[in-house]
Amino acid sequence: MAEHRSMQRAALLDAARSLLSEGGTEALTFPALAERTGLARSSVYEYFRSRAAVVEELCEVDFPVWAADVSAAMERADTAEAKVEAYVRQQLELVGDRRHRAVVAISASELDAGAREKIRAAHGGLVAMIVEALGELGHEQPRLAAMLLQGVVDAAVRRIELGAAEDPGAIADAAVSMALRGVRG
């Protein structure tokens, strides 16, 4: 029974990812989850008490995976500049990934404190790594620079997601170049 329940829970989370990546948080409703998974709506409530609970669990499951990808890319880089580049490129590489799109949708939505805390913790790890690299580059205010750098990444993510005129590779190159020039400044 427990195995069956965990499979249904995984199916619900996967359906939630799809709904989020297709239509943002408004698309994530219990009727839609029931329809996607073939479960009765009452069954969905057996697994999650609210939309916020679904979002919170997705944060718990997906955010660390995504953060670990970025972290691993940075660890493979051997200079502070290469770490900054890896930080930018790896986040942009994840754009087409449903997991990442779901995370972006979640980050943009109204979250309860629990989910916000989980996102902040996962994000905090990433920011800490980039702050360290910026410090190595001799930046006087590495924390501020890290926040601004993430703003460049977020703008590039949106640009790629909109299917902008530029090729995603060109957007990534521009973001990297802006990041590196900016952090040297």
Side-chain angles (χ1 to χ4, degrees):
M1 185 64 201
E3 193 176 313
H4 178 66
R5 280 191 70 81
S6 84
M7 276 171 62
Q8 287 199 325
R9 190 176 203 94
L12 282 164
L13 286 177
D14 207 49
R17 268 180 211 112
S18 293
L19 289 164
L20 282 165
S21 74
E22 290 159 22
T25 43
E26 300 77 57
L28 180 61
T29 64
F30 277 29
L33 281 172
E35 193 184 323
R36 285 281 165 110
T37 53
L39 291 169
R41 201 182 309 182
S42 58
S43 303
V44 178
Y45 282 99
E46 286 174 31
Y47 292 91
F48 298 104
R49 62 186 186 283
S50 63
R51 272 168 30 128
V54 177
V55 164
E56 196 169 324
E57 186 148 334
L58 269 180
C59 293
E60 223 169 296
V61 175
D62 287 359
F63 222 105
V65 171
W66 176 68
D69 280 351
V70 178
S71 167
M74 287 179 73
E75 279 162 20
R76 288 192 296 273
D78 45 7
T79 65
E81 284 191 354
K83 282 186 195 323
V84 171
E85 177 162 354
Y87 177 80
V88 174
R89 283 196 192 280
Q90 190 59 38
Q91 287 190 66
L92 297 181
E93 238 164 70
L94 294 166
V95 169
D97 188 300
R98 255 180 349 145
R99 253 197 174 82
H100 179 261
R101 280 214 301 273
V103 164
V104 170
I106 289 168
S107 305
S109 70
E110 289 303 303
L111 293 174
D112 68 352
R116 260 204 310 274
E117 203 35 64
K118 291 194 174 79
I119 287 186
R120 233 195 320 270
H123 232 261
L126 276 182
V127 171
M129 289 192 314
I130 200 65
V131 167
E132 191 182 326
L134 294 170
E136 283 172 37
L137 285 171
H139 212 285
E140 283 167 25
Q141 290 182 289
R143 256 203 101 68
L144 172 61
M147 294 307 173
L148 297 175
L149 173 59
Q150 188 57 47
V152 169
V153 173
D154 294 342
V157 164
R158 278 192 299 277
R159 192 92 191 135
I160 292 171
E161 292 205 316
L162 287 170
E166 310 87 2
D167 169 73
I171 295 172
D173 291 345
V176 165
S177 138
M178 187 172 274
L180 289 176
R181 269 211 234 62
V183 298
R184 285 191 201 106

